[in-house]
Each structure stands twice: as structure tokens, then as C-alpha cells.
Amino acid sequence: GENVEQHPSTLSVQEGDSAVIKCTYSDSASNYFPWYKQELGKRPQLIIDIRSNVGEKKDQRIAVTLNKTAKHFSLHITETQPEDSAVYFCAAQGSARQLTFGSGTQLTVLP
Amino acid sequence: DTEVTQTPKHLVMGMTNKKSLKCEQHMGHRAMYWYKQKAKKPPELMFVYSYEKLSINESVPSRFSPECPNSSLLNLHLHALQPEDSALYLCASSQDWASVKAKNIQYFGAGTRLSVL
């Protein structure tokens, strides 16, 4: 089955700096890669996603890049703000159709 | 409207109790999911219903029994749980799990925080 590894597990940045979270996946048939943000005590919320036929997607301060050859994808957050502090999960949809989640990254934006 | 509604928000039960968790969506989605999430861990898939039929059971113990009465509703019946079953139980839905061409955007409910004493 699919295996998704996510790094780092914790990340602290100064407000205004950029944050990068990286994930690798194992199933070469995976074709959809969402990123979820989960604030403490709240539901996971989709913040951006990318399909395997696209290399990069951007939405305001958030971008995702995908390298199919290397089987890795990354989340980039620019100009970080305190409200970006949360746990971020990457996921991959493989040949088995269900989403496999990474282990999560606790992002803390320091004021 | 991307709302998935779960009730109750919190549940405390003893190991001999029987209780049910409920999930509802009105987005016309044909796939619904139950996940279990422990603190600081990713959601773990338990069950997938596609077009009201159970498609995936991730080797979940029989003390958890899912039910999909119709395309908008998903229940999780709980019986004789163990303290280690204490967790956040998340319901999610997506448009169509079965299609290999569609991206599987899953929308999550706020969850039921379950404590088993």
C-alpha cells in the first residue's frame, strides 16, 4: 500500500518568514495530493491540493510543488502569520483510492 | 455548503455501554468515511462507504459497527469499547470515491471526542 513520510515533525519560524514542509510517497500510481491544516481541537481543513499532472499550484501565500519522478511534494507558506500556527498533514491518494496521511508537522509562528 | 455535521461533540461511556455516533452531509456526496484520530497523530481510516455500500473495513474490531442508512447519513455504533478506544472520531465525505479520475477531496466534520472509562 501507499506510505507517506512527512518532515519535519515540528517547525518554528519567525512571523514573516517562510515555512516549508516536505512529504515523500511510495505508490507511483498516486495521482492526488492534498494538504490539510488542523488547528487545536478543530477539524482538518483542506488548504491546497495538487494533481499529478501539475508541477506547482499557488493560492495567495500558500504553494504546493510536486516532483513525480522523485515522488515528493512540498508545502510552502510565505509571509507566515501567527494564525498559520497549526498541525499540517500531507496526504496522497494512491491506487487503493483512500487517502494516506503523513505523520503531521506542528508549525509554530513566533510573533 | 461544505458542511459535515457530527453529533455528539463529546461522549463519555463505560466499557459496557452501547452508544452511537452520527454524521450527516447534504452535499450530494456518495462516499463517506470514518476516521479515528489520537492526539498529535494523523487520522487513521476505519471505514469507507461508497454509494451506501461498505467498501473498506481497515480491520477494525467488531466493537465498532458502521451503518449507512442513506446517502446523507453515516452512523458508528459502539459497544463494549476499551479505554484505548478513547480518541477523536472524524467523519468525512467526498463526491465519489470510486472514480479513478476524480480527485478525492474529503471534507471533515468537527469530530466526536470519545472517552471510554
Side-chain angles (χ1 to χ4, degrees):
Chain A
E2 176 68 280
N3 182 47
V4 177
E5 294 192 0
Q6 182 172 347
H7 299 281
S9 57
T10 61
L11 179 60
S12 291
V13 298
Q14 290 294 137
E15 184 176 355
D17 287 351
S18 296
V20 180
I21 303 170
K22 299 183 179 184
C23 289
T24 60
Y25 61 98
S26 61
D27 184 352
S28 56
S30 290
N31 61 357
Y32 172 60
F33 307 91
W35 286 87
Y36 285 86
K37 173 184 180 182
Q38 189 174 24
E39 296 176 67
L40 191 62
K42 297 196 174 178
R43 75 188 75 195
Q45 287 200 299
L46 180 71
I47 55 171
I48 195 166
D49 58 8
I50 192 167
R51 294 201 67 177
S52 57
N53 57 350
V54 175
E56 184 174 358
K57 184 177 177 181
K58 196 171 181 181
D59 183 3
Q60 300 184 334
R61 298 186 296 110
I62 295 174
V64 57
T65 59
L66 171 65
N67 182 327
K68 280 186 63 179
T69 305
K71 289 192 279 190
H72 67 70
F73 56 113
S74 301
L75 178 71
H76 305 253
I77 306 175
T78 58
E79 300 170 26
T80 53
Q81 300 166 3
E83 53 264 38
D84 295 328
S85 295
V87 178
Y88 290 80
F89 293 103
C90 64
Q93 178 180 288
S95 50
R97 304 300 302 144
Q98 60 256 43
L99 289 182
T100 300
F101 287 86
S103 54
T105 297
Q106 172 69 62
L107 173 65
T108 303
V109 179
L110 305 168
Chain B
D1 179 15
T2 56
E3 190 75 18
V4 177
T5 305
Q6 288 187 246
T7 56
K9 287 186 169 45
H10 302 275
L11 180 62
V12 179
M13 61 187 290
M15 289 190 283
T16 58
N17 291 158
K18 286 185 180 180
K19 296 285 184 184
S20 296
L21 310 185
K22 295 186 185 303
C23 175
E24 192 168 359
Q25 58 87 14
H26 294 289
M27 296 179 275
H29 288 173
R30 303 315 300 266
M32 296 185 77
Y33 312 78
W34 281 114
Y35 288 88
K36 174 183 177 180
Q37 188 178 29
K38 291 280 202 179
K40 301 191 178 184
K41 297 290 186 185
E44 292 176 41
L45 184 66
M46 300 174 71
F47 303 104
V48 179
Y49 272 85
S50 178
Y51 289 84
E52 300 158 51
K53 286 188 169 44
L54 183 63
S55 296
I56 289 183
N57 175 343
E58 291 285 15
S59 303
V60 179
S62 59
R63 57 186 185 268
F64 295 91
S65 176
E67 179 196 19
C68 189
N70 60 55
S71 59
S72 300
L73 293 174
L74 187 66
N75 297 322
L76 186 63
H77 303 297
L78 314 173
H79 174 53
L81 294 194
Q82 304 296 309
E84 59 264 29
D85 296 323
S86 299
L88 180 68
Y89 287 84
L90 292 164
C91 174
S93 71
S94 68
Q95 188 168 6
D96 185 353
W97 174 76
S99 171
V100 296
K101 294 184 178 179
K103 56 181 182 179
N104 192 14
I105 300 178
Q106 293 188 24
Y107 298 94
F108 284 86
T112 294
R113 191 160 297 283
L114 174 67
S115 297
V116 182
L117 305 178

